[in-house]
Amino acid sequence: MERLSMRQIQHLYARAGFGITYKDLQQLKNKPLLTVVKELFEKSNDYSLIDLDFSLEEVKGKEMMSEENRKELRRLFKQSTENLNTRWMQQMSVTDAQLREKMTLFWHGHFACRSFNPLHNQQLNNTMRNLALGNFKDLLLAVSKSPAMLAFLNNQQNRKNSPNENFARELMELFTIGRGNYTENDVKESARAFTGWGFTPFTTEFVFRTKQHDFGDKTFMGHTGNFNGEDIIDIILKQKETARFICRKFYKFFVNENINETHVNQLADHFYQTNYNIGSTMFLIFSSDWFYSSENIGVNIKSPVEFIVGLTRQFYVSYESTDMLLFLQRALGQILFYPPNVSGWPGGKNWIDSSTLMYRLKIPSVILNNGIIELAGKTDPEEEAQVAMMQKQESQIHRKIKATADWDHFLQDLPQSISREQLVDYFLAPDLNKRKYALLSALSESTVKEIIIQLVSMPEYQLC
Amino acid sequence: MKRRDFIRNTALASGALMIPSFLKPFELMAAESIGFKRLVIIQLSGGNDGLNTVVPFGDDLYYQKRPSLGIDTDEVIKLTTLQGLNPAMGSLREIYDQGWMSILNGVGYPNPDRSHFRSMDIWQTASGSNEYISTGWIGRYLDSNCVECKSPHTAIEVDDSLSLALKGISNKGIAVRNSDQLYRTTREPFFKLEADDAKQNMLSEDNLGYLYKTMIETYSSAKYINDTAKRYKNTFSYPISAFANELKTVATFINSGLSTRVYYVSLSGFDTHVAQRGQQNRLLKVYSDGVAAFIHDLKQANNLDDTLIMTFSEFGRRVSQNASGGTDHGTANNLFLFGGKLKKPGIYNESPDLKTLDNGDLKFQIDFRNVYATVLDKWLGVDSGLILNNKRFNPLTIV
């Protein structure tokens, strides 16, 4: 396959990024496949870190703080992580380094982590961004040494005489090789190897606490030696199954949630042979013929973040306040930096129930008409302490969305003569077959703007 | 499940696959040998302090561990010589005396997790503390072969959004705060259905089919719920609180004859690290007054015998109070059951052992999945093994 159809280019940008403008699509449509994919990668070389200054005062030990100060600190921490969240949402909505941001989003779900400390959240997020397309071992090691993850999976409490197995278990179960490929004894032994890995409280510094490390021999996956954490990671990466496990996740996220084992094995071979080179494996995905086959186009359900960012990018949407980006995430069931648990967001059909689907179908028309919508969402369990301190019972807080789409900007990109059929093709990813004609005739006689609003309100718009 | 029921369920379910569920005759849904039983789940979010809810006033250790937070013996509403209710729960006294309440002590799970979101996850998915499941236990009940499980309104959460507990793989419950509003929302233009087109689409197994299926089911459930609920005018008097109002909505649904099997309601704010007493008492009063009114409402409409109400919280709190007049995250907790047909009303098992603690926390006596399994097998009439990951949890003598 030398040249890509418009539909295929859109597919690439929907999966490797958050969508493509009509103008960019026209520019790419006659270029060869490899040129298009290379350009996508090149655009991701130039990117920005998230660098918020939280203006956090020197944070003292908890026991030294008054109750009042602690409360204030909690509030400040929460606020700061929310700022981080909305900054990232905005960055995804405008960046040219789409692939890098999309990969960062992938790793954010893969290495799912929650931290109270916004500095730790920001550091881990930037680590993932920097190494998003690099070497998987570097990324894994950096994540394993990040205070956010060390705290989240209790490795800070993993000491020589009282090992805590939480990190070691999730490292294998969720981050590298998956269930069925290690024993309970492997968990115990590797936990010993990670003893002493911690961070200096109230800093972002990793620290190896020699006194708490167990220097004894460990037997892990058939090897015996005085292993440290990095040795354990090396042994895990030697297992081909690790490459397969990660590639299966790549495939589900970027290609199709229904796995094709042949394609996954092809990817895993490459990933393993290149010593876990993420970038070249992603390149292989996006340059494979099968990636562009019809069965992989328009079949995945957009995650809430993909949906919100995609819409925001597509129509140059601005929100009355950044809080609204949080309300939207909450109503649709995915809040960045607040994954449901260490296994991340399950995705796929799991995103959709009666309530979220109604919101999804309604939100585009409301935003594009400059309307107002009331949203609700579950209180995050971690916020219960705040609910407890409020003197009124208010578990469900209704929030209004006010947003403006820049239609002028959007319509400038579209040719005056654009046909209804072209609009359908541009907005709806699934293969509509015969239904397309039924749909075209069902679109009531109206302006381009009205047609577009009808299209983005359809269930088909939920797929990419 | 009895073989006869199994065959009936499977036969109906496979036949029913061809008919969109909203077209199924109502009679099909109600007929089952176990009778039509409903479950109402009340979630207390934030980790309710069980020891100040059901107070072990007969145990000196309680007062030693809670020198200022302990509730005076005089104030406790005594149920036995050892345990009694928080004074804010006065309205449940009569419910208890009627034999409509069971208190299970020390309900929890092995290797307890003290994080809110993780422990809530465990309770809602019925997982062990070392496994991650992306579906809820009620969701998996909906996914099971039960006859009437095919519509979203089989499980209703009175809220604006749906909890994980009610999400299965191919079936999910529905969040309804206000049935009239839900109905109107589904009739707005953005939800407009090209009926024939949509029905075609929902027959396919892929994601697009799933979107259309959800849309059609929402469309028809919204109408069914609203039409049915409208027929019943609930004049029963409830206390004034958002929580009581939600229970009133549930009672209206139940008394109107809605074919819903599971209802889900939450009360939030139990994370009482600081100045617990006022906050918890206020919440327990809201809870107790609401539940008492709800039970009387069901009773007068003759629906109490077929309804089981279960209250849980993601964990209890530490046995010792902290330095801020509150308590920190703990482990095992009490769980309440209410209904007209309880097998063992009163206090089900021993008062928590405050002496033999695990790092300052209670050890659990009953795995919460034993409670779930019993409810599934004996009350909802499905095979709990199908829903609890093929694990067997021995039934309790609760229903």
Side-chain angles (χ1 to χ4, degrees):
Chain A
M1 180 173 39
E2 285 224 328
R3 285 173 205 283
L4 296 173
S5 67
M6 297 223 309
R7 183 161 185 248
Q8 289 168 327
I9 296 171
Q10 277 192 283
H11 174 57
L12 173 67
Y13 270 79
R15 299 302 181 81
F18 302 94
I20 184 166
T21 63
Y22 203 82
K23 205 161 95 190
D24 290 346
L25 187 57
Q26 299 307 311
Q27 275 163 10
L28 289 179
K29 75 177 173 190
N30 288 316
K31 294 186 186 168
L33 164 75
L34 287 181
T35 311
V36 175
V37 178
K38 270 184 195 147
E39 191 183 311
L40 177 75
F41 275 75
E42 276 158 16
K43 280 188 198 153
S44 275
N45 290 334
D46 185 16
Y47 63 96
S48 317
L49 293 177
I50 295 185
D51 189 17
L52 291 184
D53 176 6
F54 301 116
S55 338
L56 298 175
E57 305 273 315
E58 189 68 23
V59 180
K60 295 188 219 116
K62 239 186 177 179
E63 59 281 358
M64 296 167 68
M65 293 174 71
S66 71
E67 189 51 50
E68 207 44 43
N69 288 346
R70 250 195 274 180
K71 229 161 112 180
E72 175 58 17
L73 186 72
R74 268 198 297 268
R75 197 194 60 76
L76 202 62
F77 269 23
K78 181 172 168 282
Q79 177 75 54
S80 301
T81 294
E82 287 175 358
N83 289 343
L84 199 55
N85 171 311
T86 55
R87 173 62 71 90
W88 188 17
M89 290 293 285
Q90 289 169 299
Q91 180 155 313
M92 285 188 278
S93 304
V94 295
T95 184
D96 285 329
Q98 287 209 59
L99 172 62
R100 186 168 297 272
E101 292 303 329
K102 193 65 173 281
M103 288 302 301
T104 310
L105 182 61
F106 170 81
W107 294 121
H108 185 73
H110 178 76
F111 293 113
C113 179
R114 281 184 174 219
S115 167
F116 285 115
N117 188 321
L119 289 167
H120 291 176
N121 278 326
Q122 177 163 280
Q123 181 199 39
L124 181 57
N125 188 251
N126 282 330
T127 297
M128 290 177 187
R129 186 168 288 104
N130 281 326
L131 299 171
L133 291 156
N135 181 279
F136 180 65
K137 183 190 163 179
D138 294 342
L139 175 62
L140 178 59
L141 207 54
V143 169
S144 306
K145 290 183 169 181
S146 69
M149 195 59 89
L150 288 163
F152 182 52
L153 295 181
N154 311 106
N155 212 67
Q156 189 78 334
Q157 289 88 44
N158 188 9
R159 302 191 180 96
K160 186 178 175 182
N161 292 318
S162 61
N164 185 305
E165 296 168 4
N166 203 7
F167 175 74
R169 182 182 304 280
E170 306 315 354
L171 171 70
M172 287 184 276
E173 178 179 338
L174 299 167
F175 298 164
T176 58
I177 195 166
R179 273 185 181 232
N181 299 297
Y182 55 90
T183 64
E184 275 303 300
N185 205 49
D186 289 332
V187 173
K188 282 200 173 64
E189 293 288 286
S190 56
R192 291 174 55 216
F194 285 100
T195 48
W197 282 37
F199 61 95
T200 314
F202 316 110
T203 72
T204 49
E205 299 300 315
F206 170 79
V207 62
F208 178 64
R209 300 196 183 92
T210 323
K211 280 185 194 155
Q212 293 173 4
H213 183 70
D214 181 343
F215 285 96
D217 272 357
K218 296 115 193 158
T219 299
F220 178 73
M221 292 188 171
H223 304 263
T224 304
N226 167 20
F227 299 136
N228 61 27
E230 192 172 348
D231 298 328
I232 294 295
I233 285 175
D234 281 332
I235 295 172
I236 294 173
L237 294 179
K238 264 193 207 125
Q239 319 298 315
K240 181 82 183 280
E241 192 50 41
T242 300
R244 240 190 311 269
F245 182 80
I246 302 296
C247 287
R248 212 173 275 130
K249 286 195 84 167
F250 285 155
Y251 197 88
K252 280 185 96 160
F253 190 91
F254 292 98
V255 185
N256 196 320
E257 56 196 50
N258 299 315
I259 298 280
N260 177 317
E261 288 293 342
T262 313
H263 300 162
V264 167
N265 283 333
Q266 184 198 342
L267 294 175
D269 286 344
H270 177 89
F271 198 35
Y272 192 74
Q273 278 156 20
T274 57
N275 231 337
Y276 292 90
N277 185 323
I278 302 163
S280 77
T281 307
M282 296 315 293
F283 195 92
L284 179 60
I285 293 178
F286 299 133
S287 55
S288 292
D289 281 358
W290 46 254
F291 176 75
Y292 298 95
S293 81
S294 200
E295 66 192 25
N296 292 327
I297 298 182
V299 293
N300 277 4
I301 296 176
K302 292 174 185 170
S303 67
V305 169
E306 287 174 304
F307 173 72
I308 301 163
V309 169
L311 189 73
T312 309
R313 267 188 98 92
Q314 201 158 30
F315 293 100
Y316 311 99
V317 177
S318 53
Y319 297 88
E320 195 181 52
S321 89
T322 52
D323 280 351
M324 289 168 187
L325 288 165
L326 286 168
F327 306 162
L328 286 167
Q329 292 171 65
R330 198 179 294 253
L332 299 182
Q334 182 186 31
I335 309 170
L336 296 175
F337 298 99
Y338 296 91
N341 59 48
V342 63
S343 69
W345 291 277
K349 292 189 174 80
N350 213 284
W351 295 125
I352 303 296
D353 59 60
S354 299
S355 317
T356 58
L357 183 61
M358 283 191 286
Y359 281 133
R360 278 172 177 252
L361 296 178
K362 185 166 185 169
I363 285 167
S365 66
V366 171
I367 288 180
L368 297 184
N369 277 324
N370 298 346
I372 294 175
I373 182 173
E374 277 209 359
L375 298 172
K378 291 266 179 282
T379 309
D380 187 89
E382 295 298 344
E383 290 173 17
E384 283 297 336
Q386 283 164 319
V387 178
M389 276 185 274
M390 292 194 288
Q391 283 310 301
K392 50 186 186 258
Q393 185 209 337
E394 195 175 21
S395 59
Q396 303 300 330
I397 302 152
H398 290 256
R399 274 126 178 194
K400 287 192 164 77
I401 289 295
K402 269 183 121 171
T404 315
D406 189 344
W407 275 100
D408 290 344
H409 191 170
F410 174 80
L411 290 172
Q412 264 170 30
D413 291 351
L414 290 187
Q416 291 279 333
S417 58
I418 193 159
S419 70
R420 287 170 176 228
E421 191 170 353
Q422 284 171 313
L423 285 173
V424 172
D425 288 342
Y426 178 59
F427 282 102
L428 307 181
D431 190 358
L432 299 170
N433 285 325
K434 291 174 198 152
R435 288 189 44 244
K436 189 155 147 188
Y437 299 99
L439 197 150
L440 281 168
S441 61
L443 289 172
S444 41
E445 285 294 334
S446 42
T447 64
V448 169
K449 193 170 156 179
E450 283 161 351
I451 290 174
I452 289 171
I453 291 175
Q454 289 181 58
L455 291 175
V456 295
S457 303
M458 295 186 64
E460 282 79 356
Y461 185 71
Q462 302 304 322
L463 299 173
C464 71
Chain B
M1 193 187 308
K2 287 183 198 126
R3 189 180 142 74
R4 180 170 44 101
D5 295 342
F6 178 77
I7 290 170
R8 176 150 32 123
N9 279 358
T10 341
L12 279 177
S14 54
L17 277 181
M18 305 312 295
I19 326 164
S21 46
F22 59 92
L23 295 177
K24 261 188 301 185
F26 179 74
E27 293 82 341
L28 263 185
M29 300 181 173
E32 250 201 292
S33 63
I34 207 155
F36 192 88
K37 307 282 197 220
R38 291 170 217 94
L39 173 66
V40 180
I41 300 170
I42 301 173
Q43 172 181 300
L44 305 181
S45 308
N48 177 36
D49 179 26
L51 289 175
N52 273 17
T53 304
V54 181
V55 184
F57 68 94
D59 190 336
D60 289 344
L61 277 172
Y62 168 73
Y63 292 101
Q64 284 170 32
K65 307 264 187 191
R66 299 189 163 191
S68 65
L69 196 58
I71 298 173
D72 283 351
T73 311
D74 296 346
E75 292 180 43
V76 175
I77 301 166
K78 296 175 187 64
L79 303 177
T80 66
T81 51
L82 199 55
Q83 288 184 289
L85 295 174
N86 181 303
M89 301 172 76
S91 46
L92 290 182
R93 167 93 236 192
E94 185 245 336
I95 303 286
Y96 183 91
D97 289 342
Q98 293 271 11
W100 295 336
M101 179 180 190
S102 294
I103 297 171
L104 279 65
N105 283 309
V107 183
Y109 53 90
N111 304 312
D113 201 299
R114 289 165 185 80
S115 139
H116 290 291
F117 82 94
R118 180 59 189 140
S119 199
M120 193 55 96
D121 205 40
I122 288 167
W123 274 85
Q124 293 203 2
T125 62
S127 74
S129 62
N130 275 336
E131 51 181 347
Y132 300 94
I133 302 182
S134 58
T135 52
W137 72 287
I138 297 300
R140 294 197 298 280
Y141 160 69
L142 300 177
D143 278 340
S144 78
N145 258 342
C146 92
V147 180
E148 68 284 345
C149 281
K150 301 298 169 199
S151 318
H153 63 253
T154 305
I156 291 179
E157 176 163 9
V158 181
D159 201 305
D160 298 300
S161 63
L162 199 66
S163 291
L164 175 58
L166 286 81
K167 294 184 187 177
I169 291 174
S170 48
N171 293 289
K172 295 181 174 73
I174 185 168
V176 188
R177 178 172 294 286
N178 176 318
S179 56
D180 184 51
Q181 198 191 336
L182 175 74
Y183 175 73
R184 280 185 282 116
T185 306
T186 56
R187 267 61 191 171
E188 284 178 31
F190 75 93
F191 216 76
K192 181 185 62 175
L193 279 168
E194 316 291 344
D196 294 338
D197 198 29
K199 273 177 206 154
Q200 278 291 316
N201 277 320
M202 76 173 282
L203 293 177
S204 81
E205 291 284 307
D206 58 15
N207 279 334
L208 186 59
Y210 179 75
L211 292 171
Y212 272 101
K213 170 178 171 282
T214 307
M215 198 171 165
I216 290 180
E217 287 175 351
T218 305
Y219 193 81
S220 82
S221 278
K223 179 170 168 55
Y224 167 71
I225 295 168
N226 193 44
D227 286 354
T228 312
K230 259 197 317 214
R231 290 201 301 254
Y232 184 84
K233 177 109 185 76
N234 193 335
T235 54
F236 201 84
S237 165
Y238 277 75
I240 296 164
S241 72
F243 174 72
N245 209 31
E246 288 168 9
L247 288 178
K248 188 176 183 180
T249 302
V250 175
T252 306
F253 289 164
I254 290 175
N255 294 344
S256 72
L258 209 63
S259 67
T260 299
R261 297 293 295 264
V262 181
Y263 294 92
Y264 207 94
V265 176
S266 304
L267 178 61
S268 209
F270 286 92
D271 195 17
T272 48
H273 290 277
V274 185
Q276 171 174 308
R277 187 181 299 256
Q279 172 68 4
Q280 196 202 14
N281 288 6
R282 189 182 63 72
L283 284 171
L284 288 177
K285 181 162 171 54
V286 167
Y287 168 77
S288 305
D289 293 354
V291 168
F294 179 58
I295 287 173
H296 284 295
D297 188 359
L298 294 182
K299 179 68 187 168
Q300 59 83 26
N302 236 340
N303 282 321
L304 187 60
D305 285 357
D306 293 328
T307 307
L308 178 69
I309 303 154
M310 180 181 96
T311 299
F312 79 97
S313 192
E314 73 266 35
F315 44 61
R317 306 188 76 85
R318 307 226 91 185
V319 177
S320 299
Q321 67 180 78
N322 65 21
S324 318
T327 48
D328 297 322
H329 302 178
T331 52
N333 204 356
N334 36 52
L335 179 148
F336 299 153
L337 296 171
F338 301 94
K341 291 275 179 204
L342 298 172
K343 275 251 170 75
K344 195 179 166 188
I347 294 186
Y348 182 83
N349 55 339
E350 280 172 37
S351 176
D353 178 353
L354 304 185
K355 198 156 66 190
T356 331
L357 300 179
D358 177 11
N359 275 319
D361 279 320
L362 297 177
K363 291 184 174 173
F364 79 99
Q365 302 177 47
I366 298 173
D367 193 309
F368 72 100
R369 289 163 296 181
N370 288 97
V371 181
Y372 287 6
T374 314
V375 169
L376 290 164
D377 286 324
K378 310 271 180 191
W379 191 256
L380 295 175
V382 286
D383 180 355
S384 65
L386 292 174
I387 289 151
L388 301 176
N389 270 3
N390 291 319
K391 288 187 199 119
R392 279 290 148 202
F393 293 93
N394 292 332
L396 309 169
T397 47
I398 46 180
V399 284

